[in-house]
Amino acid sequence: MTRRALLSSFALALTLPVATSADWSRFRGPNGTGTAEGEMPAINPKAPLWKAAIPGRGAGSPIVVGGKVYLQTAATDGTKRSLLCLDAGTGATVWAKDVAASAAPTHAKNSLASSTPACDGKQVYAVWWDGSGVSLYGYDLKGAEKWRTSLGGYKSQHGPGFSPVVHDGLVFANVDDDARAELVALDAKTGAKKWVQERKRERASYSTPFLLTREGKPAELILGTTTALTSYEPATGKVNWNYDVVWPKGKMPLRVIAHPVYVGGLLVMTSGDGGGSRYMVAVDPDQKSPAKVWELSKEIPYVPCLLTKGDLLFWIGDNKGSFACCADAKTGKVLFNERLLAKEPSASPVMVGDKILMIAEDGEFVVFKAAAKYDEVERAKLADKEKVFASPAVADGKLFIRGESHLYCFGKK
């Protein structure tokens, strides 16, 4: 290659967007951890950096890649779904891509656009429910549709809300409803199905997979649902190991909405239902047959995801108000349990540096230290009294909170 050609290739590479560690490229950010480095962005409810009106209604979370915010919404009459691209610096709409659809029943806290897109810096991937079936779409960064692949019909009393995950050229989707359960892998460039793994079905689960990487071991794709916690080989779908969930005597199988986390050498998974039943189990994946190490069944979250720091496990309860808990991940011993707010959260908490932010459905939020002893930093409420069901995103030192009608950006200018 000539020097001129080399310089031209280098210049082109500099102009191509790529997902970076500062991005929030999928549901719950980097590998679904819900964490970001740095300092918690300043949150002044009366003076956000910007506030952008979001048409329609949706409960999906925003993602942020390459200075752009992507999120999904649905027309209030159900006739269309839309993928929006906003400028992360100003909140201005860059483009919108619409998909024709129809109205359909959902849970009161669900919506017709409750999925969170994913982006690898090359394309944006979004799950759409047209009212009867679900499909996965691939878009380029200018909003042009590159492919669409049907994932089949979808039957659930709550409606869908699962989100895609992209890794190493494949897009994964956990399609787990009242009629079937499948983990699907698609080619990120073409949308072609690469592999499909059937799973035992029990109750519709909405959890996303994540990549478990450990020194000296190949990467594992981990998925937890009502029936099992399973490790797959990402490229082929081959099952590495499987733990069949054994429900405690007298407890019916529960839904899994929040995805598992890896902490203290264990995989921890939560589950629950609208009736108030809760269950958390910690599994050791390194035993000859993965085995339960500990379990909890009180004041466990149903919808919000878990957070980890070192060997500490944090969660936000969502039953009859909200509460913050911390436990020793290796033993399950609860270190603190603090009642926080009168309203429960649907949004998952986020951790930036050593601080955790939780926000309730009425827009009231609390920030506390990620430590073994509860230490509250601040609490306040969004000025517009908007309800919040979507989990926040953190990118480039800024915090993005989606309310019912607006997307808010907080932090330093």
Side-chain angles (χ1 to χ4, degrees), residues 252-274:
M252 67 182 295
L254 303 175
R255 299 183 190 278
V256 176
I257 295 179
H259 59 77
V261 296
Y262 183 71
V263 56
L266 305 175
L267 284 159
V268 183
M269 184 172 76
T270 62
S271 56
D273 65 17

Side-chain angles (χ1 to χ4, degrees), residues 276-330:
S277 294
R278 303 287 188 269
Y279 182 62
M280 178 185 289
V281 62
V283 174
D284 183 352
D286 289 326
Q287 295 194 24
K288 187 174 182 180
S289 295
K292 177 177 66 179
V293 176
W294 54 261
E295 62 185 358
L296 296 174
S297 59
K298 293 182 179 180
E299 299 197 314
I300 303 303
Y302 173 28
V303 176
C305 294
L306 304 169
L307 289 171
T308 68
K309 189 173 182 64
D311 286 336
L312 294 178
L313 181 65
F314 298 92
W315 65 85
I316 302 296
D318 57 349
N319 192 11
K320 297 179 181 179
S322 62
F323 50 91
C325 288
C326 172
D328 181 308
K330 292 184 177 182

Side-chain angles (χ1 to χ4, degrees), residues 36 44 65 74 98 103 113 157 173 188 190 192 195-196 261 283 291 306 341 346 348 356 368 392 409:
N44 184 344
V65 175
D98 298 334
Q157 66 183 107
T190 66
W195 55 261
V196 178
V261 296
V283 174
L306 304 169
L341 304 171
S346 284
S348 294
I356 294 173
F368 60 94
C409 176

